[in-house]
């Protein structure tokens, strides 16, 4: 069987020249934050993680290239090679990108920066299609009936109802061999009438000026939405959080590649999921420093109360002196469950101190060290009681930890520090093995530590 020819270099061109006026902002909408990161960061991460993409070029709104440079630096996006200013229109921005690519043949994937939910499968399918075709459009069937209107004496009237079976909703990326899309745009800008009737997408330029070039259609996805209107921000945020919370399970080999030789500090390592995290991380090659929490061993000399800033800071300083740095901090310590109607003032004060002040204290003490390593802070939300009637105090604490996770992820993004939370769900440390048992929480925790996500509350897998 003959070997396949190697594919040409593939460049993902992220078109980020728009401004978010339709979403109610004066800054570029791709710089708005959803799900803990800017829209542009989500999109760049998609192309950065694609094995089919060799290089990324960003075409940014004039005046904001410096912000993109900072985003690239703090995220460590290695594939971003060029950040250029876009033009006054979509066609002009595309043409600037094509000229910057030169004349050497390559595959070009033109993608809207405000489509952060494109799936890796779409990119792979587009690159594969370019082995056969010179132009590729991503599209999905129209689920709505489309009508053609014309102007009547009292407003618009329906003049035609096209057959929905042949209608498609266009998405990006739109993909081409560079020689083909360059020739189409050269002809377009040589046409005096091009500006009077500009096409709405790049395939439209090829269709008009190179009509003999077939444009192959690759199936898109309903998730691959474009953030255009205010409601889109809300929808995209929810979809991105759902996607991020579905952290894939990694093999033992993959975990070892990430954790071996790294320093992991676990607060609350004396019981339940904290103990499981410490053991499992050590099994995969991490250098683990387990620090028992106050919930089960009060009064024990080596216990570090997570609500005692000086004790937490001193413990971390001792570890850094021994190891030279801390890569991961896991805060699994917390107060035991209790019913609000059955708790006295002392029990409530203890719960608030450990489950609310504790995570804040650990975060304050850990940040200086995690900044040095661009590491990660991982919280464990309190596991909820199997009897929902006993959930009051823990639900209160869980909501606080989730909110803190998202806020810190945004605050610390500039430092390169990631912050996440694992929600054990309805699992007790003393429960028999089963769904969301401490071992399941620990396995999910390590997968989160090994991932690139931030600002996410991840449900422990069964």
């Amino acid at each position: 069987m003959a070997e396949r020819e190697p594919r040409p270099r593939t460049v993902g061109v992220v078109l980020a020249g728009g401004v978010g006026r339709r979403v109610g902002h004066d800054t570029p909408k791709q710089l708005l934050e959803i799900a803990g990161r800017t829209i542009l960061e989500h999109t760049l991460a998609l192309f950065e993680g694609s094995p089919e993409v060799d290089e990324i070029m960003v075409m940014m709104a004039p005046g904001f290239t410096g912000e993109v440079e900072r985003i690239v630096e703090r995220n460590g996006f290695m594939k971003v090679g060029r950040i250029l200013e876009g033009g006054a229109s979509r066609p002009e921005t595309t043409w600037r990108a094509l000229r910057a690519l030169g004349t050497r043949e390559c595959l070009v994937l033109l993608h809207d920066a405000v489509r952060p939910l494109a799936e890796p499968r779409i990119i792979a399918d587009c690159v594969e299609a370019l082995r056969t075709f010179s132009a590729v459009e991503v599209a999905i069937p129209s689920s709505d009936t489309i009508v053609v209107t014309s102007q009547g004496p009292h407003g618009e009237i329906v003049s035609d109802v096209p057959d929905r079976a042949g209608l498609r909703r266009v998405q990006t990326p739109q993909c081409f061999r560079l020689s083909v899309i360059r020739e189409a745009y050269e002809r377009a800008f040589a046409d005096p009438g091009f500006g009077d009737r500009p096409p709405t997408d790049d395939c439209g330029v090829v269709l008009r000026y190179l009509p003999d070039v077939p444009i192959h259609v690759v199936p898109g996805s309903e998730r691959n939405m474009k953030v255009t209107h205010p409601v889109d921000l809300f929808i995209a945020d929810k979809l991105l959080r759902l996607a991020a919370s579905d952290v894939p399970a990694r093999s033992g080999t993959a975990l070892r590649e990430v954790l071996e030789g790294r320093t992991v500090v676990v607060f609350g390592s004396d019981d339940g999921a904290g103990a499981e995290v410490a053991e499992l991380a050590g099994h995969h090659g991490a250098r683990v420093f387990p620090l028992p929490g106050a919930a089960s061993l009060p009064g024990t000399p080596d216990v570090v109360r997570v609500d005692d800033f000086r004790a937490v800071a001193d413990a971390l300083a001792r570890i850094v002196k021994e190891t030279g740095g801390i890569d991961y901090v896991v805060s699994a310590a917390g107060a035991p469950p209790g019913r609000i109607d059955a708790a006295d003032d002392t029990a409530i004060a203890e719960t608030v101190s450990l489950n609310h002040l504790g995570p804040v204290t650990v975060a304050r003490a850990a940040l200086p060290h995690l900044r040095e390593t661009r590491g990660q802070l991982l919280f464990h939300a309190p596991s909820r009681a199997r009897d929902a009637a006993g959930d009051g105090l823990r639900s209160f604490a869980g909501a606080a930890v989730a909110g803190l996770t998202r806020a810190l992820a945004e605050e610390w993004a500039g430092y390169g520090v990631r912050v996440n939370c694992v929600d054990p769900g309805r699992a007790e440390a003393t429960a028999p093995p089963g769904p969301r048992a401490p071992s399941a929480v620990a396995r999910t925790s390590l997968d989160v530590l090994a991932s690139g996500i931030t600002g996410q509350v991840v449900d422990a897998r069964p």
Side-chain angles (χ1 to χ4, degrees), residues 438-450:
S439 58
V441 177
R443 288 194 299 272
T444 303
S445 296
L446 262 61
D447 289 331
V448 172
L449 292 180

Side-chain angles (χ1 to χ4, degrees), residues 73 76 96 164 250 304 326 332 424:
E73 181 180 2
R96 287 189 181 189
R164 192 172 66 188
R250 293 176 179 250
V304 177
I326 295 172

Side-chain angles (χ1 to χ4, degrees), residues 14 16-17 28 30-31 40 58-62 64-65 68 83-86:
V14 177
Q30 54 273 15
L31 296 181
L40 180 59
V58 182
M59 303 302 297
M60 188 60 190
F64 291 93
T65 56
V68 179
I83 302 168
L84 306 174
E85 288 193 348

Side-chain angles (χ1 to χ4, degrees), residues 266-443:
V266 183
F267 290 95
S269 62
D270 46 289
D271 200 2
E276 295 276 358
V277 168
E279 180 179 353
L280 196 58
H283 176 73
H284 288 97
R287 190 174 186 182
V288 180
F289 288 82
L291 299 174
S296 59
L297 298 175
T300 305
D302 59 351
V303 163
V304 177
R305 281 190 62 103
V306 292
D307 55 348
D308 183 341
F309 177 79
R310 180 47 52 200
V312 172
D314 288 347
L316 293 176
R318 289 194 298 271
I319 293 169
V320 169
K321 186 175 182 179
E322 180 178 344
T323 65
I326 295 172
D327 300 289
Y328 304 105
V329 173
V330 180
S331 179
R339 292 171 57 103
I340 291 178
D341 57 2
D344 58 21
D345 291 346
T346 301
I348 291 177
E350 180 77 352
T351 296
V352 170
S353 186
L354 291 176
N355 289 340
H356 294 75
L357 179 59
V360 174
T361 298
V362 171
R364 287 177 57 212
L367 177 59
H369 307 298
L370 295 177
R371 286 180 65 174
E372 292 297 321
T373 60
R374 298 177 72 89
Q376 181 178 169
L377 172 62
L378 178 65
F379 295 116
H380 281 180
S383 58
R384 295 186 293 278
R386 295 185 182 277
D387 176 11
D391 256 3
L393 289 176
R394 285 217 224 187
S395 294
F396 177 39
V401 172
L404 179 65
T405 296
R406 295 181 177 118
L408 289 182
E410 294 182 9
E411 289 182 16
W412 295 1
Y415 305 139
V417 177
R418 292 177 288 120
V419 185
N420 293 292
C421 176
V422 171
D423 184 353
R426 297 184 182 278
E428 301 292 340
T430 57
R436 300 184 181 184
S439 58
V441 177
R443 288 194 299 272

Side-chain angles (χ1 to χ4, degrees), residues 2 9 39 41 85 96 105-106 145 148 162 169 180 220 260 275 283 294 372 385 391 422 457 462:
R9 178 175 61 107
I39 296 173
E41 284 175 276
E85 288 193 348
R96 287 189 181 189
E105 187 70 290
C106 64
T145 297
V148 178
R169 290 156 50 201
V180 170
E260 189 164 24
H283 176 73
E372 292 297 321
D391 256 3
V422 171
V457 179

